[in-house]
Amino acid sequence: WDKILPDYFGIGPLLEDDMIDNIKNISGVYSKGRYRKANQEWEEDSTKKQEEATPEIIEAAETFVEEVYERMEMLSKKEQT
C-alpha cells in the first residue's frame, strides 16, 4: 500500500487510514463476485482454466492476445528495473 498507491495512482499520502483499510478489505474479495460468488474471497484458478482450455481456445488466445500480453510483460519488467 505504501508503494502501489503513491507510485501508480499518486494518491497514497492523501488517504486516511480508514480509507486504506477499506481498500485492503475490498481487495480481498473476488472482483467479479456476483450472485453465488458474491463476497467470496479470491482464489487462484488460472492453472485449472489453462488445463481445461480446448485447442481452439488456445489458438484464439495466441492469435488475439499473445502479442499484447508479451508487450505488457515487457513493460512490467522494464518498470521494475
Side-chain angles (χ1 to χ4, degrees):
W1 305 105
D2 297 329
K3 182 155 182 60
I4 293 172
L5 292 175
D7 291 355
Y8 291 97
F9 298 103
I11 58 171
L14 303 176
L15 298 178
E16 296 184 19
D17 289 342
D18 60 332
M19 294 176 172
I20 293 174
D21 289 341
N22 190 39
I23 293 170
K24 288 178 181 179
N25 289 333
I26 291 170
S27 68
V29 176
Y30 183 53
S31 63
K32 297 177 186 173
R34 292 183 183 86
Y35 310 111
R36 65 181 178 85
K37 292 187 175 185
N39 298 316
Q40 290 186 4
E41 287 194 24
W42 178 87
E43 59 183 61
E44 193 280 328
D45 64 350
S46 298
T47 303
K48 180 182 177 208
K49 289 179 180 178
Q50 289 174 356
E51 290 171 352
E52 295 175 352
T54 64
E56 294 82 8
I57 291 173
I58 294 168
E59 183 180 354
E62 290 171 351
T63 301
F64 298 107
V65 182
E66 187 172 34
E67 185 178 329
V68 173
Y69 179 81
E70 289 175 358
R71 176 83 173 134
M72 287 178 9
E73 284 286 309
M74 183 187 73
L75 291 171
S76 176
K77 289 175 185 173
K78 195 175 190 179
E79 284 185 5
Q80 293 175 5
T81 58

